[in-house]
Structure formats: structure tokens, C-alpha cells
Amino acid sequence: MSTFLRNTGAVAALVTTSALATGFLAPSASAYTSLVPQTETEIYVGKDPVTGVDLPCLDATRCLKDLTPYWIESIVSLEDSSSKTRSRLFVDNKITENTYGTYGTNPFVYFNQEDEGTRPDGYWFRPSEVQTNGQGEEQGRLEVGTFTFTFTHIIPELKIAYFDNETGGVTGILPANFIPAGNDGNIQYQTLFNVKTVTLKLGNDTLSGNGDGVSFQLSKKAVPEPGAAVGLGALGLMGIFGLRKRNNKSV
């Protein structure tokens, strides 16, 4: 009986250790890591892939070029099908107002504290189409743009959140994976798997600026680190060797 109890205790210790390690390795289904920089800034969106014309940031002191800490290798702005221009891209937290650049005595880009009465929590990517009328840009009301994201690694599970999309069939993943229209302030999601690059179409410009804009977020699902998996294997082997040792002593 004593031998049986000792062996059972060893097995229980092994099972307990493995369960703890497994719990550490397997994050919950809702464990996502944001790929949005946690600071308000403009994002450098590169040269036009067709013409080679650069689209520099409005303010060099608030221009983020290195996005590798967020698993993003590059973001390139493409000509949007509705605005017929390329767009700038910003990170915005809508509890504060922000200005970028100047146009005479006025800011070139102005983001109000709230977006027409709606305000999501956290930091969001916020497009701003480039105006060609010499009057500055969209002033925080019409977030329209098309962007290609290339990631530093293949992302096993990528979640895209869209904020305030009120026009169906124009916002989503190109070439033709769009989300439906929603109510004011709605948040909708799309999920992709094993992603290295993705092109997003955001918002819709109609009648020279009286269209519908949308902000968005990107996040990746957490996955176990390879080193941690090796550690679990080591724990299992240690438990097995310990059990065998106890068995030998009890014979």
C-alpha cells in the first residue's frame, strides 16, 4: 500500500506540473496583442508604387517609420478607388485633439477630440485622404484610404477591427471581402489566418468629401513561444525520471 501511495503521489505531481505548464502555454481565445502603436503619431506610408512619388510625413518630429516592434515591416498607401488619391495614415486616441502640419494660420490636418459624437477606447489607425484643392486635408471627419500591410513574420491569426463603418460593400480586405453597413459607432471584425501581407480598403469618398470614413485596428492572437514548449517537454521528462527512480527504490 505504501508503494502504491508513493507512486500515485509522483504521478499526481507530474500531472499537476504539466497542467500548470500547459496553462501557461495555452492563452485564452481572447488573448490578442495589438499591432497599433500606443502613441499618437503619423505613420510613414512610403512611395507611390506606380509613380514612385514619396508621401512624407507632415511633421518630422511626429513621424513613425520603424514599425517592426509591432510586427509590421511596411505600410504602403495606394490610390483609393473612391477618392482617386493616396491617403496619409495616423494613430489616434480619440480622447484628445491633434494637429499635424500647417496651412496658413490653420492646421493642415486636425483631429477633433471626438468623431461626430462617437468615441471608441484605445488607439486606432486613422486614414486621412490627401486633398488636392489647396485647403488642407479632411480635418478629422472623413477617414478614407487604401493600404498594403506587410508583416515581419507570418501571422497565424490576424484580427481586424473596423470602427464606424456605415456604408456597405466598400470597407474590408481587397480584392472583394467587404463588411456590411452598420449603425453609427459600430465595430465590426474580420479574421485572417497565416497572413504575411494584406491590403485594406477603408471608407468611401463621395461628392468631394461627404462620404463615410472608418478607423481600424490590427491585432494578432498570442501563440506559445518555442522555448516554452521545450521547457514543457523537459518538465515531463523530469517527472518521468523521478517516477522511475521512486519505483526502483520501492521494489
Side-chain angles (χ1 to χ4, degrees):
M1 177 64 73
S2 60
T3 299
F4 173 77
L5 290 176
R6 283 197 299 269
N7 290 348
T8 303
V11 172
L14 174 59
V15 170
T16 302
T17 301
S18 298
L20 289 173
T22 302
F24 172 75
L25 288 172
S28 66
S30 61
Y32 283 87
T33 301
S34 176
L35 303 185
V36 182
Q38 300 298 290
T39 183
E40 294 182 296
T41 184
E42 184 175 356
I43 302 293
Y44 175 66
V45 292
K47 296 181 178 180
D48 188 319
V50 176
T51 66
V53 176
D54 196 22
L55 187 61
C57 291
L58 293 170
D59 183 348
T61 65
R62 302 180 69 190
C63 179
L64 186 58
K65 293 185 176 181
D66 182 11
L67 295 166
T68 54
Y70 301 92
W71 282 50
I72 300 174
E73 181 178 300
S74 65
I75 304 175
V76 177
S77 178
L78 310 178
E79 181 180 302
D80 184 82
S81 61
S82 65
S83 69
K84 305 305 180 184
T85 68
R86 299 173 70 208
S87 295
R88 301 182 188 277
L89 187 64
F90 299 83
V91 175
D92 188 51
N93 187 325
K94 296 182 180 179
I95 63 173
T96 58
E97 63 180 39
N98 288 278
T99 62
Y100 296 88
T102 58
Y103 176 73
T105 59
N106 299 315
F108 199 71
V109 169
Y110 170 67
F111 292 141
N112 199 359
Q113 184 174 356
E114 296 189 18
D115 179 21
E116 297 300 308
T118 56
R119 185 180 69 193
D121 294 330
Y123 292 87
W124 293 74
F125 284 120
R126 190 167 184 172
S128 170
E129 68 173 71
V130 175
Q131 299 293 306
T132 59
N133 57 11
Q135 301 298 315
E137 294 185 4
E138 50 91 354
Q139 305 308 297
R141 294 192 175 192
L142 184 57
E143 301 97 337
V144 170
T146 299
F147 302 91
T148 294
F149 288 76
T150 301
F151 301 104
T152 57
H153 304 75
I154 293 176
I155 298 179
E157 183 172 328
L158 178 73
K159 183 170 73 172
I160 308 168
Y162 303 96
F163 170 67
D164 206 25
N165 178 70
E166 298 167 354
T167 303
V170 296
T171 290
I173 302 164
L174 291 180
N177 190 359
F178 299 115
I179 60 175
N183 296 327
D184 185 36
N186 72 90
I187 298 178
Q188 300 185 57
Y189 300 91
Q190 288 181 316
T191 301
L192 292 175
F193 299 92
N194 299 319
V195 185
K196 187 64 168 67
T197 184
V198 62
T199 298
L200 303 180
K201 164 77 175 74
L202 294 315
N204 183 49
D205 181 8
T206 59
L207 302 177
S208 301
N210 295 320
D212 178 42
V214 58
S215 299
F216 65 103
Q217 292 178 330
L218 301 176
S219 58
K220 68 179 182 70
K221 190 172 183 179
V223 295
E225 294 293 337
V230 172
L232 176 58
L235 285 174
L237 290 174
M238 289 172 62
I240 292 171
F241 289 144
L243 178 60
R244 286 180 176 176
K245 185 176 181 181
R246 292 188 181 186
N247 286 340
N248 291 335
K249 286 183 178 181
S250 61
V251 174

